[in-house]
Amino acid sequence: MAESEAVAGGSPAAQAGETRRPGEHPVRILFVGDVVGGIGRSTLLDCLPVLRERHSPTFVVVNGENAAGGLGITPKNAEQMFAAGVDAITLGNHTYHRREIYPYLETHERIVRPANFLRSQPGKGTCVVEHDGVRLGVINLSGNLYLRAGRSAFTEVEVALSELGEVDHVLVDVHAEATSEKVAMGWHLDGRVTCVLGTHTHVPTADARVLPGGTAYITDVGMTGPRGGVIGVKREQAVEALLTQMPVRFETSEEDPWLMGVLVSCSQRLRADSIEQLLMPRPPQPPRAG
Ligand SMILES: [Fe+2]
Ligand SMILES: [Fe+2]
């Protein structure tokens, strides 16, 4: 199937594909949904050069909560993403699956876990990254419905916003199960942040748009991983678990990997001109020698 791109709310300037001069708008933010396992990591690494060539993103932000074998992230996984030019990594309910990430979350500035986790839990919920004098604040939030988060996303986002200080743009990754919470967060922050982008369900939604106040919104950007499985898991294992109602060991599917994300284009501070959904199959691999 061909990759697809749908643009919502695109201004003529944004669609004309002009290039950004240092320190000036427009700014383009590429946000990539949950990277699942080794197949997701290699899909990200293979797709990023193509997306850079095509869209010249100013910033690249990636949700990495499933990077390590489908659950959690290791320092090595994070370093690999940063080495590929990822500016910031967001996380979610699987943040603490791998213990080796705990000290890394405390010492590395550009990786964030949900801001509304307990203050006692390792890591922080906000960071600021900068390119050519443009400052992007990144906030990670967890939904409170069906997910374990110690504090309210709706009250803690105010604290998170105040932590950012002077920034040109703000990206909020709202990692949540319930669509209602994500839609409500979009409205709650409309006009105050550049984009509210949903993650966690691993399934992209068809509601990308710029809200009336100028905030780009989508309920879920989808995942970067195998479409041939069940939200990342080998499909026969997922089906067996549902069929038998017994414990089944889950492994990450390797079938039909795609990168899923969005590109947010901006020409004014804290406002989006457009949000474009990016659904891209992993580029074909050269045949192995021998
Ligand atoms: Fe996920
Ligand atoms: Fe999640």
Side-chain angles (χ1 to χ4, degrees):
M1 187 186 291
E3 62 194 282
S4 69
E5 296 175 358
V7 185
S11 70
Q15 291 179 0
E18 77 274 65
T19 53
R20 186 175 61 86
R21 290 184 290 276
E24 291 186 4
H25 287 88
V27 166
R28 295 187 185 89
I29 304 165
L30 171 62
F31 180 65
V32 177
D34 305 28
V35 171
V36 180
I39 189 74
R41 298 196 309 272
S42 51
T43 301
L44 173 72
L45 297 182
D46 290 346
C47 291
L48 263 185
V50 180
L51 293 172
R52 280 191 195 285
E53 177 79 25
R54 212 176 267 176
H55 301 290
S56 306
T58 318
F59 297 100
V60 179
V61 180
V62 175
N63 185 299
E65 72 143 6
N66 306 103
L71 294 170
I73 186 168
T74 65
K76 195 175 161 194
N77 300 153
E79 288 296 317
Q80 186 185 37
M81 290 186 196
F82 289 135
V86 170
D87 294 293
I89 298 171
T90 56
L91 297 167
N93 53 304
H94 295 303
T95 296
Y96 300 121
H97 193 79
R98 302 291 293 254
R99 286 182 170 273
E100 59 265 47
I101 201 67
Y102 298 5
Y104 192 90
L105 294 175
E106 298 285 1
T107 53
H108 285 70
E109 286 300 314
R110 295 186 288 136
I111 184 167
V112 292
R113 50 75 166 162
N116 57 317
F117 281 0
L118 296 178
R119 288 187 211 289
S120 56
Q121 291 177 281
K124 72 279 174 201
T126 65
C127 71
V128 177
V129 292
E130 186 170 338
H131 276 301
D132 300 333
V134 180
R135 288 167 63 80
L136 171 70
V138 178
I139 298 175
N140 196 186
L141 295 174
S142 168
N144 295 101
L145 286 170
Y146 317 123
L147 288 177
R148 184 182 292 173
R151 298 176 295 154
S152 162
F154 284 82
T155 55
E156 291 310 312
V157 73
E158 305 299 337
V159 180
L161 284 167
S162 67
E163 278 175 11
L164 293 179
E166 273 294 306
V167 289
D168 299 288
H169 291 286
V170 176
L171 179 156
V172 178
D173 171 356
V174 55
H175 193 84
E177 185 80 41
T179 52
S180 57
E181 273 191 310
K182 295 195 253 193
V183 172
M185 187 61 76
W187 287 119
H188 183 56
L189 297 178
D190 183 25
R192 301 164 65 199
V193 303
T194 310
C195 47
V196 174
L197 308 173
T199 55
H200 175 68
T201 71
H202 294 196
V203 178
T205 55
D207 60 341
R209 62 171 164 155
V210 178
L211 297 173
T215 296
Y217 174 82
I218 186 168
T219 298
D220 209 296
V221 303
M223 70 172 169
T224 295
R227 293 197 323 173
V230 175
I231 62 170
V233 171
K234 283 184 178 172
R235 62 176 179 264
E236 58 275 17
Q237 295 172 348
V239 170
E240 187 191 343
L242 291 165
L243 198 59
T244 64
Q245 303 288 299
M246 293 299 288
V248 176
R249 185 169 170 268
F250 285 164
E251 296 164 310
T252 301
S253 168
E254 301 259 312
E255 204 175 314
D256 192 19
W258 282 52
L259 177 144
M260 302 180 188
V262 291
L263 184 79
V264 176
S265 299
C266 324
S267 57
Q268 292 178 60
R269 187 172 172 269
L270 292 173
R271 296 288 180 275
D273 296 327
S274 66
I275 176 168
E276 179 178 353
Q277 196 163 29
L278 303 175
L279 303 173
M280 177 183 175
R282 184 185 184 188
Q285 302 303 293
R288 283 193 189 139

